[in-house]
Amino acid sequence: MTVDATARYTPLTRHQMAWRAAQDLPEGAYVNLGIGIPTLTSGFVPKTREVIFHSENGVLGMGGPPKPGEEDEELTDAGKNLTTLVTGGCYVHHADAFLMIRGGHLDFSLLGAFEVSEKGDLANWTTEDAEFPPGVGGAMDLAVGAKEIRVLMEHTDKKGQPRIKFKCSYPLTAAGVVKRIYTNYAVIDVTSQGLMVAEMIPGMTLEILQAMTEPKLQLAPGYKDMMPPARAA
């Protein structure tokens, strides 16, 4: 993999990635937030838009992170981070949270991933590393129960190797379910015509992005440059 060392671009932070994903959530959507970067998304929905966030551990109507001094240690998201409830939000039994998933009541699930294939295969529950125990959680239920799966993940692993693959090297959570990928470099749609780059961060080029991606990338017909906020926290 060869990357232009003279290129001038700044990868998105985890909060900026969550901000970008939040902008695409429509009014009135019921959205599950998976462990990792997705849990940050609830804090970045435009204030004029109502999105109902679901957490598999038993929260419906989850808000953003609590303000200092307003923390409730008994109110956490799926990643055990402190969270809040919006007006009308509620706690539910763990089994009821999964009934919402399995019953097809969620419009979207935003999930983290280790790898995604060019066909939208999702690998996010194990790396088969004995020192890194697997965590199935609700991932398999969400992958087949939510109406649409979108993934938030860094574009490459810690060694700089692509995480968007021809074929996932890790065991699959589900096959062909991912429709959109948000990375720290781009927004990429999984389509029947291949991987379409909808947006890239300032300074990024298709050639540089391709060098960090196994499958062929194409610019989407409606491609535009991403304009992330200077700070999203």
Side-chain angles (χ1 to χ4, degrees):
M1 179 177 64
T2 302
V3 177
D4 183 0
T6 66
R8 294 290 183 266
Y9 57 85
T10 301
L12 299 182
T13 65
R14 292 163 61 92
H15 285 86
Q16 287 174 319
M17 291 167 65
W19 165 84
R20 180 60 194 84
Q23 307 316 299
D24 288 340
L25 298 174
E27 172 75 24
Y30 284 82
V31 182
N32 169 271
L33 298 181
I35 295 172
I37 301 173
T39 59
L40 301 172
T41 307
S42 60
F44 294 107
V45 174
K47 295 186 183 300
T48 57
R49 191 182 308 168
E50 182 180 31
V51 175
I52 301 91
F53 287 107
H54 167 278
S55 184
E56 67 189 60
N57 58 314
V59 185
L60 186 64
M62 186 167 60
K67 296 179 181 178
E70 297 181 4
E71 299 89 347
D72 181 347
E73 294 184 358
E74 295 185 352
L75 182 54
T76 63
D77 60 27
K80 299 182 181 179
N81 306 297
L82 295 177
T83 189
T84 57
L85 283 178
V86 300
T87 301
C90 62
Y91 302 97
V92 299
H93 191 281
H94 196 203
D96 292 324
F98 272 78
L99 283 173
M100 295 177 198
I101 299 170
R102 295 170 183 172
H105 303 292
L106 299 176
D107 297 301
F108 302 93
S109 181
L110 305 186
L111 298 174
F114 299 127
E115 296 175 343
V116 175
S117 82
E118 63 180 334
K119 301 297 185 182
D121 300 336
L122 171 66
N124 77 342
W125 73 277
T126 183
T127 60
E128 299 187 303
D129 184 342
E131 297 183 1
F132 188 67
V136 177
M140 294 181 182
D141 292 272
L142 288 161
V144 298
K147 296 173 185 176
E148 183 169 322
I149 301 298
R150 297 177 178 177
V151 161
L152 287 80
M153 67 177 189
E154 293 185 350
H155 205 96
T156 59
D157 63 21
K158 293 180 180 179
K159 296 180 180 179
Q161 297 303 305
R163 298 176 74 177
I164 301 176
K165 317 275 282 184
F166 289 117
K167 182 178 180 180
C168 293
S169 62
Y170 298 135
L172 295 187
T173 306
V177 295
V178 178
K179 301 303 181 187
R180 172 163 275 203
I181 307 167
Y182 300 93
T183 79
N184 47 342
Y185 298 130
V187 178
I188 301 171
D189 289 322
V190 181
T191 77
S192 58
Q193 289 77 44
L195 297 179
M196 298 288 184
V197 180
E199 296 181 15
M200 289 187 288
I201 61 172
M204 178 58 68
T205 67
L206 187 63
E207 291 73 22
I208 296 173
L209 192 67
Q210 183 66 72
M212 296 184 283
T213 311
E214 283 189 359
K216 181 181 178 180
L217 299 173
Q218 306 172 65
L219 286 183
Y223 170 81
K224 61 181 180 180
D225 293 332
M226 189 187 304
M227 299 300 293
R231 181 181 179 184

